[in-house]
Amino acid sequence: MSLKRVEGGPAEAKRRRVNIGTMAVKPWGSMAYPFKIPPPLKSAARVFLSVFLFISPPFLLSWAKQGHSFKLFFFFYLLNFTLFIYLLKKYFNEKSRIEYAAQQMQEKLNMINDKNENEVKYCAALQAKILRYNSLKRIVEEINKSLILDSIAEQLSAAAFSLISNNKGACLMYLVDNQTQNLSLLKAKKEGKKIIIKAKEGDIFDHWVLRHCSALIIEDIKKDFRFDLEKLKHRDLRPISSLISSPFISESRLLGVLRLDNNETNFYSQDDLRFLCRICDLGAVALENSELFEKTQELAIHDELTSLFTKGYFLQHLKEECESASRRNREFSLLMLDIDLFKNYNDKFGHTAGDIVLRRTSQVITNTLKGLEPFVSRFGGEEFCVILPGLDKKKSYAIAESLRERIEEEKIILRRQETFVTVSIGVSGFPSDADRPDGLIEQADKAMYEAKQKGRNRVCCI
């Protein structure tokens, strides 16, 4: 017998030896036979064998003793019956124990399954929360791209509506008016066209956030004792069942309110409210930057004393107005005003009095021409320029005359003395006098100096 080398080393040889050993002790019935016994035949054979083993011993013993013994039969079957009862009891006890153990295992299995389901749900919620909070970086990047208020409002409302509400229900963004302290609707997102936003200045929920300066969550409006449902019915609002709302707060100053609502109850959770608060914290900084940017722009194009447009911005606008009027074949007029003998006011009452005269004169010009959509600018010193769009020189002359009379009638108190000011006005028209900005200014300036030479307090045009 030749020895063959075992592939795989000692471990493989050991595994093969174990397999060979197990083959030698295989139970009956596990060997391969050329034919297969049907299961009914196997059961019948087992029953026959059991009955044979139960009945045959007494007969064999009686046959061996050449006679039948009643006592032998009695004791044999008594012993078998006792053994049967014992085994049956043991069987049922074992069965009960196994069933009880199975029930305990099933309970443990159910608890493990429940725990596993909760863990899966928790992991999914945690993953969604991580993805949601990771989106804050993108929100910051988006709102920092622009300082324009409308763009910032669009980014904030879109982020809240998609990430929290999944584009369901409605998202409303209100800003606080610094003068009236009232809310005004700036941006609205809604699920469908059927949803109509009627509360342009907010409702009782928004006013609650405005009054308390804190976040608000309502899981079911009908069960919330803080609000009067009768007021909601009288206001004829759209159907709302749950909402969350958070204020924009910057250095203890309320800038606005961001709100999400839905017609389903319990639509929002505390995690949704916390995430909305984080968005509002970021949005408050962006809104404050936008507000500062707008103020900077206002200061750059408005005169600090009179609040009228500056000379530089006026020249830029005049150029744009000439180009627009040329394309559309329209007319417009330019008025140039100068306060008569303005130096006398400064010499007599002081420069502070001169500032009062400039402010009052600018207010009269703005209020008198309000319905004509004028573009009023302080051109320099005591001079003012006014663009009257869509009016020819003839109509502008009549308007300038009424403006001169209104300024002459304005009473100004300087150091407890009643004073009156007059102005000289020059009028030029586009394109009758010039079709370029510098030409219009030159013609209006010539007309104004002609009015001064003719005695002041009058209107002239060349």
Side-chain angles (χ1 to χ4, degrees):
M1 181 179 178
S2 60
L3 297 175
K4 294 185 179 180
R5 184 172 177 267
V6 178
E7 297 292 337
E12 182 66 22
K14 183 178 181 181
R15 185 183 66 80
R16 292 188 179 185
R17 285 197 300 272
V18 171
N19 291 340
I20 292 172
T22 55
M23 289 176 62
V25 295
K26 283 186 177 180
W28 184 86
S30 62
M31 303 295 292
Y33 287 92
F35 63 91
K36 186 176 182 181
I37 301 174
L41 187 59
K42 286 184 179 181
S43 300
R46 290 193 187 99
V47 173
F48 176 77
L49 182 61
S50 299
V51 173
F52 178 76
L53 292 175
F54 183 73
I55 297 176
S56 60
F59 286 99
L60 291 175
L61 291 172
S62 299
W63 178 77
K65 291 186 176 185
Q66 298 295 326
H68 298 281
S69 174
F70 176 76
K71 292 182 178 180
L72 184 63
F73 277 98
F74 176 75
F75 285 112
F76 174 78
Y77 285 111
L78 180 63
L79 179 63
N80 279 273
F81 181 75
T82 304
L83 182 62
F84 174 76
I85 294 299
Y86 170 76
L87 293 176
L88 186 64
K89 183 179 180 181
K90 186 177 181 181
Y91 165 77
F92 281 111
N93 290 338
E94 187 68 18
K95 182 180 178 182
S96 299
R97 186 187 66 80
I98 294 174
E99 289 179 352
Y100 178 72
Q103 290 177 358
Q104 288 185 325
M105 293 298 296
Q106 187 63 40
E107 289 178 0
K108 292 181 179 180
L109 182 62
N110 293 336
M111 292 175 63
I112 293 173
N113 289 335
D114 292 340
K115 187 176 180 180
N116 186 39
E117 291 179 2
N118 293 333
E119 290 292 335
V120 171
K121 292 179 180 179
Y122 176 76
C123 290
L126 185 61
Q127 186 176 7
K129 187 183 294 186
I130 291 173
L131 293 175
R132 177 184 283 184
Y133 277 89
N134 284 339
S135 63
L136 290 176
K137 180 181 178 182
R138 178 180 58 82
I139 295 173
V140 173
E141 293 175 352
E142 292 295 331
I143 62 179
N144 286 336
K145 287 182 180 179
S146 174
L147 291 172
I148 306 301
L149 179 60
D150 187 72
S151 176
I152 294 173
E154 177 67 25
Q155 293 295 336
L156 291 174
S157 57
F161 192 48
S162 61
L163 294 175
I164 300 178
S165 294
N166 196 22
N167 296 322
K168 294 182 180 179
C171 175
L172 308 178
M173 182 174 176
Y174 296 93
L175 286 187
V176 177
D177 191 333
N178 293 328
Q179 296 180 352
T180 62
Q181 291 300 307
N182 292 328
L183 294 175
S184 61
L185 183 64
L186 177 63
K187 191 67 64 174
K189 298 283 183 182
K190 49 188 181 178
E191 184 177 355
K193 296 181 179 179
K194 295 182 179 180
I195 298 178
I196 300 176
I197 310 298
K198 296 182 179 180
K200 303 298 182 181
E201 295 182 353
D203 52 23
I204 57 176
F205 309 114
D206 305 309
H207 295 159
W208 188 95
V209 176
L210 178 65
R211 187 169 59 255
H212 292 83
C213 290
S214 62
L216 172 66
I217 179 170
I218 301 178
E219 297 176 348
D220 189 350
I221 288 179
K222 295 181 180 179
K223 298 180 181 179
D224 200 307
F225 64 90
R226 293 172 293 180
F227 305 98
D228 187 2
L229 297 180
E230 294 299 325
K231 292 183 178 180
L232 294 177
K233 293 179 180 178
H234 293 318
R235 289 177 179 270
D236 191 26
L237 297 175
R238 56 195 170 84
I240 299 172
S241 296
S242 59
L243 66 87
I244 53 176
S245 182
S246 177
F248 295 102
I249 300 177
S250 178
E251 297 181 356
S252 301
R253 187 168 67 94
L254 185 63
L255 303 177
V257 175
L258 184 59
R259 162 181 161 177
L260 297 168
D261 58 54
N262 198 281
N263 193 27
E264 298 180 15
T265 58
N266 300 309
F267 188 82
Y268 302 102
S269 64
Q270 290 289 344
D271 286 337
D272 294 333
L273 180 60
R274 280 191 285 269
F275 187 69
L276 181 65
C277 292
R278 298 291 81 79
I279 293 178
C280 289
D281 291 340
L282 298 174
V285 178
L287 291 175
E288 189 174 30
N289 291 337
S290 174
E291 184 178 329
L292 293 174
F293 176 71
E294 289 185 356
K295 288 182 179 179
T296 303
Q297 281 191 320
E298 290 292 322
L299 292 175
I301 64 175
H302 285 87
D303 179 62
E304 185 177 0
L305 177 63
T306 62
S307 298
L308 301 178
F309 291 109
T310 59
K311 180 179 179 180
Y313 189 66
F314 165 78
L315 294 175
Q316 178 184 348
H317 184 79
L318 180 61
K319 180 180 178 181
E320 295 174 356
E321 188 70 26
C322 288
E323 293 174 355
S324 176
S326 179
R327 287 195 307 269
R328 300 179 182 181
N329 194 24
R330 292 193 312 177
E331 294 181 315
F332 72 90
S333 299
L334 174 65
L335 308 183
M336 183 171 286
L337 299 82
D338 185 82
I339 299 177
D340 298 328
L341 303 174
F342 180 74
K343 187 175 181 300
N344 294 342
Y345 295 99
N346 285 333
D347 295 340
K348 184 176 180 180
F349 300 103
H351 290 281
T352 304
D355 292 344
I356 295 175
V357 171
L358 289 172
R359 279 197 295 266
R360 292 294 296 275
T361 304
S362 64
Q363 292 172 1
V364 173
I365 295 173
T366 304
N367 295 333
T368 305
L369 304 178
K370 185 184 297 184
L372 301 175
E373 298 182 358
F375 188 89
V376 186
S377 166
R378 183 183 178 188
F379 199 69
E382 66 274 15
E383 291 183 348
F384 302 90
C385 282
V386 181
I387 298 176
L388 298 176
L391 298 177
D392 57 17
K393 191 164 65 172
K394 184 177 180 181
K395 293 180 181 178
S396 299
Y397 182 90
I399 293 172
E401 184 64 30
S402 64
L403 175 61
R404 181 195 64 79
E405 293 175 356
R406 178 67 184 85
I407 294 175
E408 185 181 12
E409 295 171 356
E410 182 70 15
K411 181 172 61 176
I412 303 175
I413 306 298
L414 299 176
R415 293 189 178 181
R416 299 181 182 180
Q417 296 184 24
E418 293 185 0
T419 58
F420 298 88
V421 298
T422 61
V423 293
S424 299
I425 305 177
V427 182
S428 63
F430 177 94
S432 58
D433 291 328
D435 57 359
R436 292 180 298 109
D438 52 351
L440 285 171
I441 294 174
E442 183 179 354
Q443 288 295 103
D445 188 60
K446 288 181 179 179
M448 183 187 67
Y449 275 101
E450 181 178 339
K452 285 186 174 294
Q453 291 175 359
K454 290 183 177 181
R456 299 184 178 86
N457 191 22
R458 63 185 67 233
V459 179
C460 290
C461 59
I462 300 177

